[in-house]
DNA sequence: TATTGTTATACTCTATAACTATA
DNA sequence: TATAGTTATAGAGTATAACAATA
C-alpha cells in the first residue's frame, strides 16, 4: 500500500494541508516573543481591556459597541470606562438622538496615549522585518488577496 | 518635486514599507472574528489563563515555567493550578531532584480537554482556508523561511 | 414591551510583598 | 544567601441577574 492513507480527496503524493501548516507556523511566530499588547499595557499602566477600549476609539463609540469589540458583557464596560474617565483619557456624554446611549470619546490626553499604543502595535515584529523586501512584498500580496 | 518625500533610503518610486502593510493586513485578518481562544475558554468553562496553562502542558512543566508562558508573576500560577487541580485536569508532584520544584502534569481528563482545545486552535481560519491551494503553499513557504 | 447602561454579587486574574521550605 | 513556590492583600476583569431610564 503505497497510496496515501490521509483522509483527503484522492490526490497522488498526498501532503499535509498547506493551510494547516501555515497556520501552525504563524502561531509559532506570533507567540515567539512577549505579547506586545500586554507589554504596552504594563508600560502605560493600563490593563489589557482598558487598552483595547482605547484602541477601539478611533472614533467615538457607545458602551455596547465597546463591549462587542472586547467580547465581554455590557456590564463590564461601565467599570472599564469609569477607570479611563478617572484618568482623564475618555469622556462620556449622552447621545442627543437617544438619551439611553452614551458616547465614549478620547480626550486630548487619551488621544496621545492611543497614538503611543498604535505606534507600538503597528511596528512589524522581528521575524517579518528580517525577511527580504521581495519576501515581504510577496507576503503582503498574499494577505491582500486574503482580505479581497 | 517628484522625488519621494518619505524617510527611507533614496529609492526611486518610494512605497510604503511592505512589512508594515503586511503586518496591518495580518492584524485585520486575525481580529476579524471572535478570538478563538476566548470562545473555546467559554465552551470549556475555563478562563483564558487556565486554558493557556493546559496548552503549555504538552509535557510536565514547573510552576515557574508556566508563569513564563503566561507572562505573569509566579504567585498567580498557584491559584490557576489550584483550580485545574480541583477540576481533576492536572496533578502537582514535587520534583525528586529538587524538592522546592513542583511538576505539573496533565491527568487523563486533562489530556482529553487539551486535545479538544488544540484541535480547535489548529483549525485554520476562514480567510486562510479560502485561499487557493497554490496561495496556501506560497504562504506556508514564506512562513517556513521566516522561521528559518 | 424592549433596549441601554448601571448596580450588586461572586469569582477569577493580577502584581507586590512577606513568608516557607528547600538548596 | 539564594531560589521555588505559597500566602496575604488590594485592585481590576468577568458573567449573571436585577434595576432605572428611555424608547
Amino acid at each position: 500500500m503505497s497510496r496515501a492513507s490521509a483522509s483527503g480527496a484522492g490526490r497522488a503524493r498526498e501532503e499535509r494541508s498547506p493551510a494547516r501548516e501555515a497556520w501552525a507556523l504563524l502561531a509559532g511566530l506570533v507567540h515567539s516573543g512577549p505579547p506586545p499588547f500586554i507589554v504596552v499595557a504594563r508600560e502605560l499602566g493600563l490593563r489589557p481591556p482598558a487598552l483595547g477600549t482605547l484602541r477601539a476609539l478611533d472614533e467615538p463609540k457607545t458602551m455596547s459597541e465597546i463591549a462587542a469589540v472586547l467580547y465581554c458583557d455590557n456590564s463590564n464596560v461601565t467599570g472599564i470606562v469609569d477607570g479611563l474617565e478617572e484618568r482623564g483619557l475618555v469622556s462620556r456624554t449622552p447621545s442627543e438622538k437617544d438619551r439611553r446611549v452614551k458616547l465614549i470619546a478620547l480626550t486630548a490626553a487619551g488621544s496621545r496615549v492611543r497614538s503611543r499604543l498604535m505606534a507600538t502595535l503597528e511596528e512589524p515584529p522581528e521575524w517579518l522585518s528580517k525577511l527580504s523586501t521581495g519576501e515581504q512584498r510577496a507576503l503582503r500580496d498574499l494577505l491582500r488577496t486574503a482580505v479581497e
Side-chain angles (χ1 to χ4, degrees), chain A:
Chain A
M1 263 244 204
S2 63
R3 292 285 304 276
S5 60
S7 58
R11 191 192 298 127
R13 297 197 180 177
E14 194 70 34
E15 68 173 345
R16 184 189 176 201
S17 155
R20 293 184 81 84
E21 185 176 344
W23 188 231
L25 289 166
L26 190 57
L29 288 166
V30 166
H31 293 144
S32 60
F37 203 75
I38 293 181
V39 173
V40 187
R42 288 178 185 163
E43 288 172 4
L44 296 175
L46 293 167
R47 314 250 333 129
L51 212 56
T53 300
L54 286 188
R55 179 174 55 180
L57 289 176
D58 55 329
E59 54 183 24
K61 286 195 163 53
T62 70
M63 302 293 276
S64 298
E65 286 169 340
I66 293 171
V69 170
L70 299 180
Y71 295 99
C72 73
D73 191 84
N74 222 312
S75 61
N76 302 317
V77 182
T78 298
I80 294 166
V81 168
D82 281 350
L84 290 171
E85 204 177 13
E86 282 168 20
R87 289 166 188 260
L89 301 178
V90 306
S91 65
R92 177 166 15 195
T93 55
S95 163
E96 295 184 357
K97 297 182 177 178
D98 181 342
R99 291 214 301 263
R100 293 174 301 179
V101 173
K102 308 255 172 92
L103 283 173
I104 313 306
L106 292 176
T107 62
S111 192
R112 285 192 294 272
V113 172
R114 183 176 189 274
S115 294
R116 290 175 55 192
L117 165 64
M118 297 311 289
T120 302
L121 295 183
E122 287 165 2
E123 197 65 37
E126 196 180 5
W127 64 263
L128 210 177
S129 301
K130 289 198 333 202
L131 289 177
S132 73
T133 305
E135 289 162 341
Q136 291 175 5
R137 287 203 193 93
L139 179 58
R140 173 201 64 191
D141 293 342
L142 277 168
L143 294 171
R144 279 182 181 166
T145 302
V147 172
E148 271 137 320

